Amino acid sequence: LPSFIIETCHEAAACASYSRRAKIKVDDFKFMLRRDPKKLGRVTDLLNLEKEFKAKRKAFDTDEGVLGKEGD
């Protein structure tokens, strides 16, 4: 498992380097996994889930802040 992670990161870094970027982006990992639909699908699902959580957290934090100010 650790060797898979290291190899994956090296391949993503190579994709970023080819695009003349110093930093690795999520798209580099997606590009690297393009030939493995199962892994690519899982990554896409997790990224979508993260977006949902961020939106819900933001909405909750906003609502909570409003409630806290009204109670003062």
Side-chain angles (χ1 to χ4, degrees):
L1 182 67
S3 61
F4 170 75
I5 294 171
I6 292 169
E7 289 173 19
T8 304
C9 291
H10 282 297
E11 287 183 40
C15 292
S17 176
Y18 183 76
S19 299
R20 296 184 180 167
R21 282 185 280 106
K23 293 186 178 181
I24 301 171
K25 294 184 177 183
V26 174
D27 290 337
D28 296 321
F29 285 99
K30 285 182 172 181
F31 183 78
M32 198 264 331
L33 292 171
R34 72 190 183 279
R35 292 188 185 108
D36 190 343
K38 189 172 183 179
K39 289 178 186 163
L40 182 59
R42 180 68 175 144
V43 167
T44 305
D45 289 344
L46 290 172
L47 290 171
N48 289 336
L49 194 59
E50 181 187 17
K51 285 181 185 178
E52 286 181 35
F53 283 150
K54 279 185 181 181
K56 288 179 181 179
R57 194 175 303 122
K58 185 176 179 182
F60 181 76
D61 289 343
T62 304
D63 293 344
E64 187 69 26
V66 171
L67 292 174
K69 290 179 183 174
E70 290 175 356
D72 290 338

